[in-house]
Amino acid sequence: MNNFQQQLLQGIPTILPNSKLYNSEINHAPKRKNILSDDEKKLALKNALRYFDTKHHAVLLPEFKNELDTYGRIYMHRFRPNYEMYARPIDEYPGKTIQAKAIMHMIQNNLNPAVAQHPHELITYGGNGAVFQNWAQYLLVMKYLAEMTDEQTLIIYSGHPLGIFPSNKNAPRVVVTNGMMIPNYSKQDDWEKFNALGVTQYGQMTAGSYMYIGPQGIVHGTTITVLNAGRKIAKHGENLAGKLFLTSGLGGMSGAQPKAGNIAGCITVCAEVNPKALEIRHSQGWVDEVISDLDRLVRRVRKAKEAKEIISIAYQGNVVDVWEKFDVEYIYVDLGSDQTSLHNPWAGGYYPVDLSYEDANNMMTEQPDLFKEKVYESLRRQAEAINKHTAKGTYFFDYGNAFLLEASRAGAKIYKNANQEFVNKDSPSLGEGGGGWAYPSYVQDIMGPMCFDYGFGPFRWVCTSANPEDLAKTDAIACEILEEIKKGAPSEIQQQLADNIQWIKGAQENELVVGSQARILYADAEGRIKIAKAFNNAIKNGEISAPVVLGRDHHDVSGTDSPYRETANIYDGSQFTADMAIHNVIGDSFRGATWVSIHNGGGVGWGEVINGGFGMVLDGTKEAEQRLQAMLFWDVNNGIARRSWARNNEAIFAIKRAMEAEPNLTVTLPNMVNDNLLENIFKH
Ligand SMILES: NC(=O)c1ccc[n+]([C@@H]2O[C@H](COP(=O)([O-])OP(=O)(O)OC[C@H]3O[C@@H](n4cnc5c(N)ncnc54)[C@H](O)[C@@H]3O)[C@@H](O)[C@H]2O)c1
C-alpha cells in the first residue's frame, strides 16, 4: 500500500500534523463576517474539537479560535493533506467497493486547486459552494469511503459524515444533504451564523454533491444560451458575427462565458474585479485578451466590431463602469447579462463600483451595513445603465445569478409600468414567472421552453480511468447515438439535437477538460438512456478501460425548484413550491443512484432554491444497465410531467411522447381553460 492510500485509510491522524502556513499565492475565500457572540464562539469551538482526541484540545483550541477570529470560520488548515489533490485513476484508491472509489475520485476533483475556486477553504465555486466545512470532515469521509462495503450507506449532513449504516447493494452508497434548514431559518445571516457554528454549509449545486467538472460544465449551457439569445435578436437569420456580448465574472462558472462567446461566434467583453480570478482564466486560455483601461477597451471593441472578430476580452475592473462607459461612448451592446455571484451579495459575491477590491473586502467584514448600502447603490447604478442600453435595443437577460432579484431588493428600476417606463416596486410579482421584471430570466426565454420542457439538460459523465483516450471513445459513442436519434426525431427537437451534435463534435478541439476526464452534453431522456447503455456495454467489452460516472448539473429539468431560475418558466404559482426537487431525489435514490444529494441554496442563494442531483457508477454489469434505465427515465420525466401540469405546451408534447413510448407511464394532463370564459366571469 502506498503512502497516499495509507493516509486515506488513516482518516484524522492520531499524531498532530505540523501547522500549515497561509499560502498567499492561492485564491482564498474572503474573510467571513464576524457574526457569533462569545457564547456562540465557544459553541463553534466545542463543535470543531469533537472531531479530535481530547489530548489534542489544548493545542488545537487557540489555533481554531484564531481561525475563527481571522477568517470567520474554522477550516482546520493544519489537517489539509500533504498529498496532491486531484482525481486519480480509480484503481489507485483503496477500498472494498468500486462505487465508493468512484466517489473519492469525484471528491478529489472538486477540491483540485486547478478546479476549485478556494481550494484551501474547501470551496469549489460560487464563492461559498463548499464540499466540506473543514478538513476533518474531508479526512473522515475519505476514510469511510475507503472502508465501506456495498452493503452500507454513508450519511452526510452538510459535509459532516454522520456514519456508515447497513443498507443493501441496490441502495445509494452515499446520501448527502446540504444546508437543509427549518424553513424559517434560511436568511443570508442564518447561513453566516450556522455555518460559522459548523453545523451547516452552502453546497451550491455540484460542489457539495461532488459532481463539479470545472467550467466545461457551464460552457455548454452558456453556449446554448448565447447561441439562442443570438437567434432571438437575429433580424434576418444572421449569425452573431460582429455582435457584442457584455457581461461580468470570470469565476468558477462565470469564467465559461468568454469561451462560450467564442464558440457562439461573437465579441465578448467580460468584466472581472478580482485579478487572481482573471489571471487563472486567462492563463487557462478561457479568455483571449486582458484590458484594464476603459478607453483602450472602447477602442479595442470598436476595432473588433469593424473586423467582425470572434474575440473575448477580459476587462479588469468593475462591470458597472463598462455599462456606463459604453453608454456614453455609443458602443452598441447586442446581448447583455451579468454573472457576478449575487446569490451571495454580502460576502464577496458582488463588488460595488467605486470601491477598490481591497477596500471592498475590508468593508464587508469591518462595516457590513455600509457595505450593504454600497452594494445596493451599485446595483441601482448598474440597472440604470443597463436600462439605457436596452432602450437602444440591447437584449438583456438575467443569467441565474439573482441579479434581478437583488436589484429589485435594492430598489432598482427594473419593472415597467403600463406606459413602459422603468419603475421600482416593493416586491416581485407572483404568477408572472420569474419576478415579473422588465427583463426575462434566461430560463423564461431560452432554457425553459427550448430545453428543460423537452427534457434536454446538462447530462455529464466522468471517465474514472482518468485517461483522455477513454473520454475520446465516449465522445464518439455519444455523437453516433445522437445522430441516430436525430434521424427519427420530431421537428420540435431537431435544433436541440443539431446543437448538441455540433457541441460533441467540437468538444475535443475546444479543449474543455480542466481536472477529471469529464464531458457535459445536453440530452433528453432518450439520449441519456441510450448513451449510458452504450457506455455500459463498452465497459463490459473492455472498449472503455474503467467505470464511468454518470451525473448531471442540478440546474436541470427536474432536479431544482427555483422560482428565479430553473422554474422561472412555471406560471401556475407552483414555482414557489419544492415538491419536484424532493420527489426527484427520493425517486432517484430507490431507482439505483450510487449517490444522491439535496441542497438548500445553489445558484440564486440560500433560502431561494431547493436542488438535488445524483451520481451513478456504470461498471459494465447487467445490474448497472437495469439501474440506468429505471433511474434516468424517472430523473428526466418526472420534471417534464410537472412542467406539463403547469400547462407548458412543450412539456405536454414531450410527456405525451414519453407515454407513447413507455406503457407503464401514466401522467395526469391539464385541461386548458378558455381565457375569455375566465375574463367574462370577472366582468359580471
Ligand atoms: N446561469 C447558470 O447556469 C449558472 C450556473 C452556475 C452559476 N450561476 C450563478 O452565476 C454566479 C456566478 O457563479 P461563479 O461560480 O462564476 O461565481 P464566482 O464567485 O466564482 O465568480 C463571480 C465573479 O464575479 C466577480 N465580480 C463580483 N462583482 C463584480 C463586479 N461588480 N464587477 C466585475 N466583477 C465582479 C467576482 O470577483 C468573481 O470572480 C453565481 O451567482 C452562480 O450561482 C449561474
Side-chain angles (χ1 to χ4, degrees):
M1 196 178 291
N2 64 29
N3 187 268
F4 166 69
Q5 293 166 333
Q6 279 167 5
Q7 286 192 57
L8 282 193
L9 280 164
Q10 177 183 220
I12 295 174
T14 39
I15 300 169
L16 282 187
N18 293 334
S19 52
K20 297 254 179 338
L21 290 176
Y22 185 86
N23 180 348
S24 49
E25 302 285 295
I26 296 273
N27 188 2
H28 287 283
K31 185 180 168 189
R32 308 294 184 195
K33 193 153 127 179
N34 185 4
I35 197 164
L36 301 184
S37 66
D38 277 354
D39 278 345
E40 288 165 341
K41 280 188 178 168
K42 285 181 200 157
L43 189 55
L45 288 162
K46 261 168 91 168
N47 288 347
L49 288 170
R50 61 186 152 169
Y51 286 103
F52 306 95
D53 195 314
T54 45
K55 70 179 181 222
H56 298 312
H57 289 189
V59 175
L60 295 178
L61 186 57
E63 192 170 303
F64 289 176
K65 163 96 174 27
N66 184 41
E67 285 192 17
L68 192 56
D69 291 340
T70 315
Y71 312 120
R73 298 290 186 273
I74 303 170
Y75 297 113
M76 311 182 180
H77 283 300
R78 175 195 285 266
F79 293 93
R80 198 174 66 241
N82 290 326
Y83 53 74
E84 262 188 89
M85 190 66 77
Y86 67 97
R88 288 161 172 75
I90 190 163
D91 50 17
E92 290 185 21
Y93 292 97
K96 299 175 186 150
T97 133
I98 283 175
Q99 297 191 339
K101 290 183 188 191
I103 299 172
M104 289 193 257
H105 178 96
M106 301 294 284
I107 289 175
Q108 287 211 299
N109 190 57
N110 270 30
L111 293 170
N112 177 344
V115 172
Q117 186 186 16
H118 306 305
H120 288 187
E121 288 81 18
L122 304 107
I123 302 288
T124 302
Y125 71 94
N128 56 356
V131 191
F132 300 104
Q133 298 176 65
N134 57 55
W135 287 103
Q137 293 179 345
Y138 164 83
L139 294 174
L140 259 185
V141 166
M142 294 301 271
K143 176 183 156 74
Y144 284 145
L145 289 169
E147 280 175 346
M148 71 189 288
T149 69
D150 56 15
E151 299 277 348
Q152 292 175 304
T153 295
L154 170 60
I155 301 300
I156 300 194
Y157 286 11
S158 284
H160 168 68
L162 191 71
I164 322 176
F165 290 72
S167 62
N168 62 65
K169 279 196 175 66
N170 292 320
R173 290 288 67 75
V174 178
V175 174
V176 177
T177 52
N178 275 307
M180 299 312 291
M181 300 297 290
I182 301 301
N184 273 344
Y185 296 82
S186 254
K187 298 272 179 294
Q188 185 70 23
D189 270 353
D190 294 320
W191 167 71
E192 293 278 2
K193 183 168 166 170
F194 292 102
N195 188 224
L197 283 175
V199 294
T200 193
Q201 73 176 9
Y202 191 82
Q204 267 284 9
M205 294 193 152
T206 52
S209 60
Y210 327 137
M211 194 43 78
Y212 188 70
I213 56 168
Q216 173 188 184
I218 199 78
V219 175
H220 188 27
T222 312
T223 306
I224 289 178
T225 305
V226 178
L227 265 179
N228 284 308
R231 287 175 186 141
K232 271 187 104 62
I233 60 164
K235 296 205 174 66
H236 311 288
E238 77 280 10
N239 62 21
L240 276 166
K243 293 186 179 168
L244 173 62
F245 172 40
L246 169 57
T247 183
S248 57
L250 285 172
M253 291 290 182
S254 48
Q257 295 175 107
K259 187 122 192 164
N262 282 6
I263 299 173
C266 60
I267 303 161
T268 306
V269 170
C270 194
E272 170 57 65
V273 287
N274 179 349
K276 277 191 182 140
L278 188 148
E279 177 43 35
I280 290 176
R281 292 295 170 227
H282 189 227
S283 66
Q284 290 172 339
W286 287 73
V287 62
D288 301 322
E289 290 180 16
V290 178
I291 294 181
S292 51
D293 175 84
L294 276 176
D295 290 315
R296 260 194 67 210
L297 179 68
V298 167
R299 288 197 296 277
R300 184 67 188 89
V301 169
R302 286 213 170 101
K303 194 172 147 225
K305 280 190 164 221
E306 262 168 44
K308 295 199 169 171
E309 281 177 74
I310 296 174
I311 185 143
S312 52
I313 305 165
Y315 169 69
Q316 187 172 332
N318 201 294
V319 70
V320 182
D321 289 324
V322 185
W323 281 109
E324 291 179 345
K325 182 77 174 174
F326 282 9
D327 174 46
V328 295
E329 295 283 349
Y330 301 100
I331 298 270
Y332 183 68
V333 177
D334 298 87
L335 299 175
S337 196
D338 186 89
Q339 236 184 6
T340 56
S341 274
L342 272 160
H343 69 275
N344 176 32
W346 323 126
Y350 183 86
Y351 286 84
V353 65
D354 291 345
L355 269 185
S356 74
Y357 183 62
E358 291 71 27
D359 288 349
N361 279 331
N362 287 333
M363 192 186 282
M364 70 182 76
T365 47
E366 308 303 325
Q367 298 166 285
D369 292 339
L370 181 60
F371 184 74
K372 193 169 173 177
E373 266 177 47
K374 295 278 179 202
V375 168
Y376 276 170
E377 208 178 288
S378 184
L379 281 172
R380 287 193 294 270
R381 249 173 81 178
Q382 187 171 340
E384 192 87 41
I386 290 168
N387 292 346
K388 288 183 182 158
H389 283 275
T390 58
K392 296 179 209 169
T394 300
Y395 174 69
F396 180 87
F397 56 95
D398 182 284
Y399 210 170
N401 63 336
F403 173 76
L404 290 173
L405 180 64
E406 281 309 329
S408 73
R409 287 173 178 161
K413 292 181 178 167
I414 49 151
Y415 296 89
K416 277 190 175 169
N417 64 15
N419 299 327
Q420 293 301 301
E421 294 153 340
F422 288 107
V423 292
N424 59 6
K425 248 204 255 187
D426 286 342
S427 59
S429 327
L430 309 186
E432 292 178 54
W437 296 300
Y439 302 115
S441 131
Y442 72 115
V443 172
Q444 282 177 282
D445 263 20
I446 298 166
M447 200 55 92
M450 292 178 188
C451 294
F452 293 165
D453 288 355
Y454 288 117
F456 285 86
F459 183 53
R460 58 183 57 179
W461 62 88
V462 174
C463 298
T464 63
S465 61
N467 184 347
E469 283 172 21
D470 275 339
L471 186 63
K473 278 180 205 152
T474 57
D475 285 346
I477 292 172
C479 185
E480 208 176 294
I481 284 171
L482 288 190
E483 282 179 330
E484 198 49 45
I485 292 176
K486 188 169 180 293
K487 285 183 197 155
S491 59
E492 284 83 350
I493 57 170
Q494 281 289 331
Q495 181 71 64
Q496 290 86 330
L497 287 163
D499 285 348
N500 294 322
I501 290 168
Q502 195 194 338
W503 164 264
I504 198 77
K505 283 190 169 157
Q508 297 276 328
E509 194 186 313
N510 283 319
E511 294 179 22
L512 297 154
V513 168
V514 177
S516 59
Q517 291 299 319
R519 183 68 70 225
I520 180 167
L521 175 68
Y522 267 59
D524 62 359
E526 182 187 4
R528 299 184 206 204
I529 292 169
K530 286 186 171 162
I531 290 169
K533 265 192 191 165
F535 289 172
N536 200 46
N537 277 334
I539 297 165
K540 186 170 78 188
N541 303 337
E543 224 179 303
I544 296 175
S545 69
V548 170
V549 171
L550 299 182
R552 58 163 171 75
D553 193 354
H554 296 192
H555 171 260
D556 195 6
V557 181
S558 324
T560 295
D561 276 300
S562 178
Y564 305 113
R565 208 165 90 172
E566 285 78 355
T567 41
N569 75 323
I570 299 283
Y571 301 102
D572 68 351
S574 74
Q575 65 269 40
F576 294 93
T577 64
D579 298 298
M580 177 177 71
I582 299 295
H583 271 287
N584 189 70
V585 79
I586 294 174
D588 281 356
S589 71
F590 67 76
R591 285 182 175 85
T594 309
W595 74 99
V596 289
S597 65
I598 185 88
H599 304 188
N600 167 20
V604 286
W606 180 253
E608 305 287 0
V609 46
I610 298 291
N611 63 93
F614 74 88
M616 175 177 266
V617 177
L618 299 182
D619 56 5
T621 58
K622 187 94 203 105
E623 291 74 29
E625 181 168 327
Q626 283 160 354
R627 286 196 284 260
L628 76 87
Q629 171 83 40
M631 202 215 73
L632 291 175
F633 185 86
W634 158 259
D635 187 63
V636 179
N637 278 301
N638 80 89
I640 303 180
R642 184 270 177 109
R643 289 166 184 274
S644 139
W645 183 239
R647 294 182 283 263
N648 290 9
N649 286 324
E650 294 80 2
I652 295 173
F653 168 87
I655 208 68
K656 282 183 177 166
R657 264 191 92 214
M659 283 194 275
E660 277 165 27
E662 171 53 73
N664 280 337
L665 175 71
T666 305
V667 168
T668 315
L669 294 174
N671 293 296
M672 300 298 182
V673 174
N674 179 321
D675 282 339
N676 290 335
L677 204 65
L678 195 64
E679 289 309 317
N680 280 341
I681 200 154
F682 280 91
K683 283 189 187 144
H684 303 299

